[in-house]
Coordinates of all heavy atoms in Angstrom, one line a residue:
M1 N -65.8 -0.5 44.0 CA -64.7 0.0 44.7 C -63.5 0.4 43.8 O -63.3 -0.4 42.9 CB -64.1 -1.0 45.8 CG -63.0 -0.5 46.6 SD -62.9 -1.6 48.0 CE -61.2 -1.3 48.4
L2 N -62.9 1.5 43.9 CA -61.9 1.9 43.0 C -60.6 1.2 43.3 O -60.2 1.1 44.5 CB -61.6 3.4 43.0 CG -62.8 4.3 42.5 CD1 -62.4 5.7 42.7 CD2 -63.0 4.0 41.0
G3 N -59.8 0.8 42.3 CA -58.5 0.2 42.6 C -57.5 1.3 42.7 O -57.8 2.5 42.4
Y4 N -56.2 1.0 43.0 CA -55.2 2.0 43.2 C -55.0 2.9 41.9 O -54.9 4.1 42.0 CB -53.9 1.3 43.6 CG -52.7 2.4 43.7 CD1 -52.7 3.2 44.8 CD2 -51.7 2.4 42.8 CE1 -51.7 4.1 45.0 CE2 -50.7 3.3 42.9 CZ -50.7 4.2 44.0 OH -49.6 5.1 44.1
D5 N -54.9 2.2 40.8 CA -54.7 2.9 39.5 C -55.8 3.9 39.1 O -55.6 4.9 38.5 CB -54.6 1.9 38.3 CG -53.2 1.2 38.4 OD1 -52.3 1.7 39.1 OD2 -53.2 0.0 37.9
D6 N -57.0 3.6 39.6 CA -58.2 4.4 39.4 C -58.1 5.7 40.2 O -58.8 6.7 39.9 CB -59.5 3.7 39.6 CG -59.7 2.5 38.7 OD1 -59.2 2.6 37.5 OD2 -60.3 1.6 39.1
K7 N -57.3 5.8 41.3 CA -57.3 6.9 42.1 C -56.2 7.9 41.7 O -56.1 9.0 42.2 CB -56.9 6.5 43.6 CG -58.0 5.6 44.2 CD -57.7 5.2 45.6 CE -58.7 4.3 46.1 NZ -58.3 3.8 47.4
R8 N -55.5 7.6 40.6 CA -54.5 8.6 40.1 C -55.1 9.8 39.5 O -56.2 9.6 38.9 CB -53.6 7.9 39.1 CG -52.7 6.8 39.7 CD -51.8 6.4 38.6 NE -50.8 5.4 39.1 CZ -49.7 5.7 39.7 NH1 -49.4 7.0 39.9 NH2 -48.8 4.8 40.1
N9 N -54.5 10.9 39.6 CA -55.0 12.1 39.0 C -54.7 12.1 37.5 O -55.3 12.7 36.7 CB -54.4 13.4 39.6 CG -54.9 13.6 41.0 OD1 -56.0 13.2 41.3 ND2 -54.1 14.1 41.8
F10 N -53.6 11.5 37.1 CA -53.1 11.4 35.7 C -52.8 10.0 35.3 O -52.2 9.3 36.1 CB -51.9 12.3 35.5 CG -52.1 13.7 35.8 CD1 -51.7 14.3 37.1 CD2 -52.7 14.6 34.9 CE1 -52.0 15.6 37.4 CE2 -53.0 15.9 35.2 CZ -52.6 16.4 36.4
F11 N -53.1 9.6 34.1 CA -52.8 8.2 33.7 C -51.3 8.1 33.4 O -50.7 9.1 32.9 CB -53.6 7.9 32.4 CG -55.1 7.7 32.7 CD1 -56.0 8.7 32.4 CD2 -55.5 6.5 33.4 CE1 -57.3 8.5 32.6 CE2 -56.8 6.3 33.6 CZ -57.8 7.3 33.3
R12 N -50.7 7.0 33.6 CA -49.3 6.7 33.3 C -49.3 6.1 31.9 O -50.1 5.2 31.5 CB -48.7 5.8 34.3 CG -48.6 6.5 35.6 CD -47.5 5.8 36.4 NE -47.2 6.6 37.6 CZ -46.1 7.4 37.7 NH1 -45.3 7.5 36.7 NH2 -46.0 8.1 38.8
M13 N -48.3 6.5 31.1 CA -48.1 6.0 29.8 C -46.8 5.1 29.8 O -45.7 5.7 30.3 CB -47.9 7.1 28.8 CG -47.7 6.6 27.4 SD -47.7 8.0 26.2 CE -46.2 8.9 26.6
M14 N -46.9 3.9 29.5 CA -45.7 3.0 29.4 C -44.8 3.4 28.2 O -45.3 3.5 27.1 CB -46.1 1.6 29.3 CG -47.1 1.1 30.3 SD -46.6 1.4 32.1 CE -45.4 0.1 32.3
V15 N -43.5 3.6 28.5 CA -42.6 4.1 27.4 C -41.4 3.2 27.2 O -41.0 3.0 26.1 CB -42.2 5.6 27.6 CG1 -43.4 6.5 27.4 CG2 -41.5 5.8 28.9
N16 N -40.8 2.7 28.3 CA -39.6 1.9 28.2 C -38.6 2.5 27.2 O -38.2 1.9 26.3 CB -39.9 0.5 27.8 CG -40.6 -0.3 28.9 OD1 -40.2 -0.2 30.0 ND2 -41.7 -1.0 28.6
S17 N -38.2 3.8 27.5 CA -37.3 4.5 26.7 C -36.0 4.8 27.4 O -36.0 5.2 28.6 CB -38.0 5.8 26.3 OG -37.2 6.6 25.5
P18 N -34.8 4.7 26.7 CA -33.6 5.0 27.4 C -33.6 6.6 27.6 O -34.1 7.4 26.9 CB -32.5 4.7 26.4 CG -33.2 4.2 25.1 CD -34.7 4.2 25.4
C19 N -32.9 6.9 28.7 CA -32.8 8.3 29.1 C -31.5 8.7 29.8 O -30.8 7.7 30.2 CB -34.0 8.8 29.9 SG -34.2 8.0 31.5
Q20 N -31.2 9.9 29.9 CA -30.0 10.3 30.6 C -30.4 10.9 31.9 O -31.3 11.8 31.9 CB -29.2 11.3 29.7 CG -27.8 11.6 30.4 CD -26.9 12.4 29.4 OE1 -27.3 12.6 28.3 NE2 -25.8 12.6 29.9
L21 N -29.8 10.6 33.0 CA -30.2 11.1 34.3 C -29.0 11.7 34.9 O -27.9 11.1 35.1 CB -30.7 9.8 35.2 CG -31.2 10.1 36.5 CD1 -32.5 10.8 36.5 CD2 -31.3 8.8 37.3
Q22 N -29.2 13.0 35.4 CA -28.1 13.6 36.1 C -28.5 13.7 37.5 O -29.6 14.3 37.8 CB -27.8 15.0 35.5 CG -26.7 15.7 36.3 CD -26.3 17.0 35.6 OE1 -27.0 17.5 34.7 NE2 -25.3 17.7 36.2
I23 N -27.8 13.2 38.4 CA -28.1 13.1 39.9 C -27.3 14.2 40.6 O -26.0 14.2 40.4 CB -27.8 11.8 40.5 CG1 -28.7 10.7 39.8 CG2 -28.1 11.8 42.0 CD1 -28.3 9.3 40.1
T24 N -28.0 15.0 41.3 CA -27.2 16.1 42.1 C -27.6 15.9 43.6 O -28.8 16.0 44.0 CB -27.7 17.5 41.7 OG1 -27.5 17.6 40.3 CG2 -26.9 18.5 42.4
D25 N -26.6 15.4 44.3 CA -26.8 15.2 45.8 C -25.7 15.9 46.5 O -24.9 16.6 46.0 CB -27.0 13.7 46.1 CG -25.8 12.9 45.7 OD1 -24.7 13.4 45.6 OD2 -26.0 11.6 45.6
D26 N -25.7 15.7 47.9 CA -24.7 16.3 48.7 C -23.3 15.9 48.4 O -22.3 16.7 48.6 CB -25.0 16.0 50.2 CG -26.3 16.6 50.6 OD1 -26.7 17.6 50.0 OD2 -26.9 16.2 51.7
E27 N -23.1 14.7 47.9 CA -21.8 14.1 47.7 C -21.2 14.5 46.3 O -20.0 14.8 46.2 CB -21.8 12.6 47.7 CG -22.2 12.1 49.1 CD -22.9 10.8 49.1 OE1 -22.8 10.1 48.0 OE2 -23.4 10.3 50.1
S28 N -22.0 14.5 45.3 CA -21.5 14.8 43.9 C -22.6 15.1 43.0 O -23.8 15.0 43.3 CB -20.7 13.6 43.5 OG -21.5 12.5 43.3
S29 N -22.2 15.3 41.7 CA -23.1 15.4 40.6 C -22.6 14.4 39.6 O -21.4 14.5 39.2 CB -23.1 16.8 40.0 OG -24.0 16.9 39.0
R30 N -23.4 13.5 39.1 CA -23.0 12.5 38.2 C -24.2 12.2 37.2 O -25.3 12.5 37.4 CB -22.6 11.2 38.9 CG -23.7 10.6 39.8 CD -23.2 9.6 40.8 NE -24.2 8.9 41.5 CZ -24.8 9.4 42.6 NH1 -24.6 10.6 43.0 NH2 -25.7 8.7 43.2
T31 N -23.7 11.7 36.0 CA -24.6 11.4 34.9 C -24.6 10.0 34.6 O -23.5 9.4 34.7 CB -24.2 12.3 33.7 OG1 -24.3 13.7 34.0 CG2 -25.2 12.0 32.6
M32 N -25.8 9.4 34.4 CA -25.8 8.0 34.1 C -27.0 7.7 33.1 O -27.8 8.6 32.9 CB -26.1 7.1 35.3 CG -27.4 7.3 35.9 SD -27.8 6.3 37.3 CE -26.7 7.0 38.6
Q33 N -26.9 6.6 32.5 CA -28.0 6.1 31.6 C -29.0 5.4 32.5 O -28.7 4.8 33.5 CB -27.5 5.1 30.5 CG -26.6 5.8 29.6 CD -27.2 6.9 28.7 OE1 -28.3 6.7 28.2 NE2 -26.6 8.1 28.7
A34 N -30.3 5.6 32.1 CA -31.4 5.0 32.8 C -32.5 4.5 31.8 O -32.3 4.8 30.6 CB -32.0 6.0 33.8
L35 N -33.5 3.9 32.3 CA -34.6 3.4 31.4 C -35.9 4.0 32.1 O -36.2 3.7 33.2 CB -34.7 1.9 31.4 CG -35.8 1.4 30.5 CD1 -35.5 1.7 29.0 CD2 -35.9 -0.1 30.7
C36 N -36.6 4.9 31.3 CA -37.8 5.5 31.7 C -38.9 4.4 31.5 O -39.1 4.1 30.4 CB -38.1 6.7 31.0 SG -39.7 7.5 31.5
K37 N -39.5 3.9 32.5 CA -40.5 2.8 32.5 C -41.8 3.4 32.1 O -42.5 2.8 31.3 CB -40.6 2.0 33.7 CG -39.2 1.4 34.2 CD -38.7 0.3 33.4 CE -39.3 -1.0 33.9 NZ -38.9 -2.1 33.1
D38 N -42.2 4.5 32.7 CA -43.5 5.1 32.5 C -43.5 6.5 32.9 O -42.6 7.0 33.6 CB -44.6 4.4 33.1 CG -44.5 4.3 34.7 OD1 -44.4 5.4 35.3 OD2 -44.6 3.2 35.2
I39 N -44.4 7.3 32.3 CA -44.5 8.7 32.6 C -45.9 9.2 32.7 O -46.8 8.6 32.0 CB -43.7 9.5 31.4 CG1 -43.5 11.0 31.8 CG2 -44.3 9.3 30.1 CD1 -42.6 11.7 30.9
S40 N -46.1 10.2 33.5 CA -47.4 10.8 33.6 C -47.2 12.4 33.6 O -46.1 12.8 33.4 CB -48.2 10.4 34.9 OG -47.6 11.1 36.0
A41 N -48.2 13.1 33.8 CA -48.1 14.6 33.7 C -47.3 15.1 34.9 O -46.7 16.2 34.7 CB -49.5 15.2 33.8
T42 N -47.2 14.4 36.0 CA -46.5 14.9 37.1 C -45.3 14.1 37.6 O -44.6 14.5 38.5 CB -47.4 15.1 38.3 OG1 -48.0 13.8 38.6 CG2 -48.6 16.1 38.0
G43 N -45.0 12.9 36.9 CA -43.9 12.1 37.4 C -43.6 11.0 36.5 O -44.2 10.9 35.4
M44 N -42.6 10.3 36.8 CA -42.1 9.2 36.0 C -41.4 8.1 36.9 O -41.1 8.4 38.0 CB -41.2 9.6 34.8 CG -40.0 10.4 35.2 SD -39.0 10.9 33.8 CE -39.9 12.5 33.4
S45 N -41.3 6.9 36.3 CA -40.6 5.8 37.0 C -39.4 5.5 36.1 O -39.5 5.3 34.9 CB -41.6 4.6 37.1 OG -41.0 3.5 37.6
L46 N -38.2 5.4 36.8 CA -37.0 5.1 36.1 C -36.3 3.9 36.7 O -36.2 3.8 37.9 CB -36.1 6.4 36.2 CG -36.7 7.7 35.8 CD1 -35.8 8.8 36.3 CD2 -36.8 7.8 34.3
E47 N -35.7 3.1 35.8 CA -34.8 2.0 36.3 C -33.4 2.5 36.1 O -32.9 2.9 35.1 CB -35.0 0.8 35.5 CG -34.2 -0.4 36.0 CD -34.5 -1.7 35.2 OE1 -35.5 -1.7 34.5 OE2 -33.7 -2.7 35.4
V48 N -32.7 2.4 37.3 CA -31.3 2.9 37.3 C -30.3 1.9 37.7 O -30.7 0.9 38.5 CB -31.1 4.2 38.3 CG1 -32.0 5.3 37.7 CG2 -31.5 3.9 39.7
D49 N -29.0 2.0 37.3 CA -28.0 0.9 37.7 C -27.3 1.4 38.9 O -26.1 1.5 39.0 CB -27.0 0.7 36.5 CG -27.6 0.1 35.4 OD1 -28.6 -0.8 35.6 OD2 -27.2 0.2 34.2
E50 N -28.0 1.6 40.0 CA -27.5 1.9 41.3 C -28.4 1.2 42.3 O -29.6 1.1 42.1 CB -27.6 3.4 41.6 CG -26.5 4.2 40.9 CD -26.2 5.4 41.5 OE1 -26.5 5.8 42.7 OE2 -25.3 6.2 40.9
P51 N -27.9 0.7 43.4 CA -28.7 -0.1 44.3 C -29.7 0.8 45.1 O -30.7 0.3 45.5 CB -27.7 -0.7 45.3 CG -26.4 0.0 45.0 CD -26.4 0.6 43.7
S52 N -29.4 2.1 45.2 CA -30.3 3.0 46.0 C -29.9 4.5 45.6 O -28.8 4.8 45.5 CB -30.1 2.7 47.5 OG -30.9 3.7 48.2
I53 N -31.0 5.2 45.6 CA -30.9 6.7 45.4 C -31.8 7.3 46.5 O -33.0 6.9 46.6 CB -31.3 7.2 44.1 CG1 -30.3 6.7 43.0 CG2 -31.2 8.7 44.1 CD1 -30.6 7.1 41.6
E54 N -31.2 8.2 47.3 CA -32.0 8.7 48.5 C -33.2 9.5 48.1 O -33.1 10.3 47.1 CB -31.0 9.5 49.3 CG -31.6 10.0 50.6 CD -30.6 10.7 51.5 OE1 -29.4 10.4 51.4 OE2 -31.0 11.6 52.3
V55 N -34.3 9.3 48.8 CA -35.5 10.1 48.6 C -35.2 11.5 48.9 O -34.4 11.9 49.8 CB -36.6 9.6 49.5 CG1 -37.8 10.6 49.5 CG2 -37.0 8.2 49.1
G56 N -35.7 12.5 48.0 CA -35.4 13.9 48.2 C -34.2 14.4 47.3 O -34.0 15.6 47.1
T57 N -33.5 13.4 46.6 CA -32.5 13.8 45.7 C -33.0 14.5 44.5 O -34.0 14.1 43.9 CB -31.7 12.5 45.3 OG1 -31.1 11.9 46.5 CG2 -30.5 12.9 44.4
Q58 N -32.4 15.6 44.0 CA -32.8 16.3 42.8 C -32.1 15.6 41.6 O -30.9 15.3 41.7 CB -32.3 17.7 42.9 CG -32.9 18.5 44.1 CD -34.4 18.7 43.9 OE1 -34.9 19.2 42.9 NE2 -35.2 18.3 44.9
V59 N -32.9 15.5 40.6 CA -32.4 14.8 39.4 C -32.8 15.6 38.1 O -33.8 16.3 38.2 CB -32.8 13.4 39.2 CG1 -32.3 12.5 40.3 CG2 -34.4 13.2 39.1
S60 N -32.0 15.5 37.1 CA -32.5 16.1 35.8 C -32.5 15.0 34.8 O -31.6 14.1 34.7 CB -31.4 17.1 35.3 OG -31.7 17.6 34.1
V61 N -33.7 14.9 34.1 CA -34.0 13.7 33.2 C -34.1 14.2 31.7 O -34.7 15.3 31.5 CB -35.3 13.0 33.6 CG1 -35.5 11.8 32.7 CG2 -35.3 12.6 35.0
A62 N -33.4 13.6 30.9 CA -33.5 14.0 29.4 C -33.8 12.7 28.6 O -33.1 11.7 28.7 CB -32.2 14.6 28.9
I63 N -34.9 12.8 27.9 CA -35.3 11.7 27.0 C -35.3 12.2 25.6 O -36.1 13.2 25.2 CB -36.7 11.2 27.3 CG1 -36.7 10.7 28.8 CG2 -37.1 10.1 26.4 CD1 -38.1 10.3 29.2
E64 N -34.3 11.7 24.7 CA -34.2 12.1 23.4 C -35.3 11.4 22.5 O -35.5 10.2 22.7 CB -32.9 11.8 22.8 CG -31.8 12.7 23.5 CD -31.9 14.1 23.3 OE1 -32.4 14.5 22.2 OE2 -31.6 14.9 24.2
S65 N -36.0 12.1 21.7 CA -37.0 11.6 20.8 C -36.3 11.1 19.4 O -35.5 11.9 18.9 CB -38.1 12.5 20.5 OG -39.0 12.1 19.6
S66 N -36.7 10.0 18.9 CA -36.2 9.5 17.7 C -37.1 10.0 16.5 O -36.9 9.7 15.4 CB -36.0 8.0 17.6 OG -37.3 7.4 18.0
S67 N -38.2 10.6 16.8 CA -39.3 11.1 15.9 C -39.3 12.6 15.8 O -39.3 13.2 16.8 CB -40.6 10.5 16.3 OG -41.6 11.1 15.4
S68 N -39.4 13.1 14.6 CA -39.5 14.5 14.4 C -40.9 15.1 14.9 O -41.0 16.2 15.1 CB -39.2 14.9 13.0 OG -40.2 14.3 12.1
Q69 N -41.9 14.2 15.0 CA -43.2 14.5 15.4 C -43.4 14.6 16.9 O -44.4 15.1 17.4 CB -44.2 13.6 14.7 CG -44.2 13.6 13.2 CD -45.1 12.6 12.6 OE1 -45.7 11.8 13.3 NE2 -45.2 12.7 11.3
I70 N -42.4 13.9 17.6 CA -42.5 13.9 19.1 C -41.3 14.7 19.7 O -40.2 14.3 19.4 CB -42.6 12.5 19.6 CG1 -43.8 11.7 19.0 CG2 -42.7 12.5 21.1 CD1 -43.8 10.3 19.4
P71 N -41.5 15.7 20.5 CA -40.4 16.5 20.9 C -39.7 15.7 22.1 O -40.2 14.9 22.7 CB -41.0 17.8 21.5 CG -42.4 17.4 21.8 CD -42.8 16.3 20.8
S72 N -38.4 16.0 22.2 CA -37.6 15.5 23.3 C -38.1 16.1 24.6 O -38.7 17.1 24.6 CB -36.1 15.8 23.1 OG -35.7 15.2 21.9
L73 N -37.8 15.4 25.7 CA -38.2 15.8 27.0 C -37.0 16.1 27.9 O -36.1 15.4 27.9 CB -39.1 14.7 27.6 CG -39.6 15.0 29.1 CD1 -41.1 14.5 29.2 CD2 -38.8 14.3 30.1
A74 N -37.1 17.2 28.6 CA -36.1 17.5 29.6 C -36.9 18.0 30.8 O -37.7 18.9 30.7 CB -35.1 18.6 29.1
A75 N -36.5 17.5 32.0 CA -37.3 17.9 33.2 C -36.3 17.9 34.5 O -35.4 17.1 34.5 CB -38.4 16.9 33.4
L76 N -36.7 18.7 35.4 CA -36.1 18.6 36.7 C -37.1 17.9 37.6 O -38.3 18.2 37.5 CB -35.9 20.1 37.3 CG -34.9 20.9 36.5 CD1 -34.8 22.3 37.1 CD2 -33.5 20.3 36.5
A77 N -36.6 17.0 38.5 CA -37.5 16.2 39.3 C -36.9 15.9 40.6 O -35.7 16.0 40.8 CB -37.9 14.9 38.5
T78 N -37.7 15.4 41.6 CA -37.3 15.0 42.9 C -37.6 13.5 43.1 O -38.7 13.2 42.8 CB -37.9 15.8 43.9 OG1 -37.6 17.2 43.7 CG2 -37.4 15.5 45.4
V79 N -36.7 12.7 43.6 CA -36.9 11.3 43.9 C -37.9 11.2 45.1 O -37.7 11.8 46.2 CB -35.6 10.6 44.3 CG1 -35.9 9.1 44.7 CG2 -34.6 10.6 43.1
V80 N -39.0 10.6 44.9 CA -40.0 10.4 46.0 C -40.1 8.9 46.4 O -40.8 8.6 47.4 CB -41.4 10.9 45.5 CG1 -41.4 12.4 45.3 CG2 -41.9 10.2 44.3
R81 N -39.5 8.0 45.6 CA -39.6 6.6 45.9 C -38.4 5.9 45.4 O -37.9 6.2 44.3 CB -40.9 6.0 45.4 CG -41.1 4.5 45.5 CD -42.5 4.1 45.0 NE -42.9 4.7 43.7 CZ -42.5 4.3 42.5 NH1 -41.7 3.3 42.4 NH2 -42.9 5.0 41.4
C82 N -37.9 4.9 46.1 CA -36.8 4.0 45.5 C -37.0 2.6 46.0 O -37.1 2.4 47.2 CB -35.4 4.6 46.1 SG -34.0 3.6 45.4
E83 N -37.1 1.7 45.1 CA -37.3 0.3 45.4 C -36.3 -0.6 44.7 O -36.0 -0.4 43.5 CB -38.7 -0.2 44.9 CG -39.9 0.6 45.4 CD -41.2 0.4 44.7 OE1 -41.2 -0.4 43.8 OE2 -42.2 0.9 45.2
P84 N -35.6 -1.4 45.5 CA -34.5 -2.2 44.9 C -35.1 -3.2 43.9 O -36.1 -3.8 44.1 CB -34.0 -3.0 46.1 CG -34.5 -2.3 47.3 CD -35.7 -1.6 46.9
E85 N -34.4 -3.3 42.8 CA -34.8 -4.2 41.6 C -33.9 -5.4 41.7 O -34.4 -6.5 41.4 CB -34.7 -3.5 40.3 CG -35.2 -4.3 39.1 CD -36.7 -4.4 39.1 OE1 -37.4 -3.9 39.9 OE2 -37.1 -5.2 38.2
S86 N -32.6 -5.3 42.0 CA -31.7 -6.3 42.1 C -30.5 -5.8 43.0 O -30.7 -4.7 43.6 CB -31.0 -6.7 40.7 OG -30.3 -5.7 40.2
E87 N -29.4 -6.5 43.1 CA -28.4 -6.0 44.0 C -27.7 -4.8 43.5 O -27.1 -4.0 44.2 CB -27.3 -7.1 44.2 CG -27.8 -8.3 45.0 CD -26.7 -9.3 45.2 OE1 -25.5 -9.0 45.0 OE2 -27.0 -10.4 45.7
S88 N -27.8 -4.6 42.2 CA -27.1 -3.4 41.5 C -28.0 -2.4 40.9 O -27.5 -1.5 40.2 CB -26.1 -4.0 40.5 OG -26.7 -4.6 39.5
S89 N -29.3 -2.6 40.9 CA -30.2 -1.7 40.3 C -31.5 -1.5 41.1 O -31.8 -2.2 42.1 CB -30.7 -2.2 38.9 OG -31.5 -3.3 39.0
S90 N -32.2 -0.3 40.8 CA -33.4 0.0 41.5 C -34.3 0.8 40.6 O -33.9 1.2 39.6 CB -33.1 0.9 42.8 OG -32.4 2.0 42.4
I91 N -35.6 0.8 41.0 CA -36.6 1.6 40.4 C -36.9 2.8 41.2 O -37.2 2.6 42.4 CB -37.9 0.8 40.1 CG1 -37.7 -0.5 39.4 CG2 -39.0 1.6 39.5 CD1 -37.4 -0.4 37.9
I92 N -36.7 4.0 40.6 CA -37.1 5.2 41.4 C -38.3 5.9 40.8 O -38.6 5.8 39.6 CB -35.9 6.2 41.4 CG1 -35.5 6.7 40.0 CG2 -34.7 5.6 42.1 CD1 -34.5 7.8 40.0
G93 N -39.1 6.5 41.6 CA -40.2 7.2 41.2 C -39.8 8.7 41.5 O -39.3 9.1 42.5
V94 N -40.0 9.5 40.5 CA -39.7 10.9 40.6 C -40.9 11.9 40.4 O -41.8 11.5 39.6 CB -38.5 11.4 39.7 CG1 -37.3 10.6 40.0 CG2 -38.9 11.3 38.2
E95 N -41.0 12.9 41.1 CA -42.0 13.9 40.8 C -41.4 15.1 40.1 O -40.4 15.6 40.4 CB -42.5 14.4 42.2 CG -43.7 15.4 42.0 CD -44.1 15.9 43.4 OE1 -43.6 15.6 44.5 OE2 -45.3 16.5 43.4
I96 N -42.1 15.4 38.9 CA -41.5 16.4 38.0 C -41.8 17.8 38.7 O -43.0 18.1 39.0 CB -42.1 16.4 36.6 CG1 -41.7 15.1 36.0 CG2 -41.7 17.5 35.8 CD1 -42.5 14.8 34.7
S97 N -40.8 18.6 38.9 CA -41.0 20.0 39.4 C -40.9 21.1 38.3 O -41.5 22.1 38.4 CB -39.9 20.3 40.5 OG -38.6 20.1 40.0
Q98 N -40.2 20.8 37.2 CA -40.1 21.8 36.1 C -39.8 21.1 34.8 O -38.9 20.2 34.8 CB -39.0 22.8 36.5 CG -38.8 23.8 35.4 CD -37.7 24.8 35.8 OE1 -36.9 24.6 36.7 NE2 -37.5 25.8 34.9
M99 N -40.5 21.4 33.8 CA -40.2 21.0 32.4 C -39.3 22.1 31.8 O -39.6 23.2 31.9 CB -41.5 20.8 31.6 CG -42.4 19.7 32.1 SD -41.6 18.1 32.1 CE -42.0 17.6 30.5
K100 N -38.2 21.6 31.1 CA -37.4 22.6 30.4 C -37.8 22.8 29.0 O -38.3 22.0 28.4 CB -35.9 22.1 30.5 CG -35.4 22.0 31.9 CD -34.0 21.6 31.8 CE -33.4 21.4 33.2 NZ -32.0 20.9 33.1

């Protein structure tokens, strides 16, 4: 029997890399620091210092590379999951809609 991880279309790569997240919702547009926990071809998991971000929110993610051999990443994405991590932080799952 296949486990949940075996049913994924793309493997996730653990990165634990700091990134910049720009959130655009109905109320405002704001930029914050986040931690990219893992990434795949179609999405990523980010730890943010907010208790909640609404599913469907559009975000822009930028991960700067410290290596000349690995390019920086910039992507537009949509929040598809938000799970509380603590009273002041949460883990969001985003689906990448466009790579810049």
Side-chain angles (χ1 to χ4, degrees):
M1 183 166 156
L2 293 176
Y4 178 73
D5 289 336
D6 295 329
K7 295 179 185 177
R8 291 189 177 276
N9 290 329
F10 300 98
F11 290 104
R12 290 204 171 259
M13 181 173 66
M14 306 306 281
V15 290
N16 288 318
S17 179
C19 62
Q20 187 170 2
L21 183 69
Q22 181 176 3
I23 300 172
T24 306
D25 57 21
D26 294 337
E27 299 154 9
S28 66
S29 178
R30 59 198 184 278
T31 302
M32 70 175 68
Q33 294 297 311
L35 181 67
C36 180
K37 305 291 271 178
D38 59 55
I39 188 168
S40 75
T42 59
M44 57 183 86
S45 176
L46 307 165
E47 184 174 349
V48 296
D49 288 332
E50 289 206 6
S52 176
I53 296 178
E54 188 174 331
V55 170
T57 300
Q58 299 293 307
V59 298
S60 178
V61 182
I63 303 174
E64 294 297 323
S65 174
S66 59
S67 170
S68 62
Q69 297 175 354
I70 301 173
S72 297
L73 177 138
L76 297 176
T78 304
V79 176
V80 295
R81 175 178 40 85
C82 181
E83 299 170 356
E85 183 72 4
S86 69
E87 288 184 15
S88 62
S89 69
S90 58
I91 303 288
I92 61 171
V94 299
E95 181 179 12
I96 298 170
S97 54
Q98 179 183 7
M99 297 296 276
K100 294 184 184 179

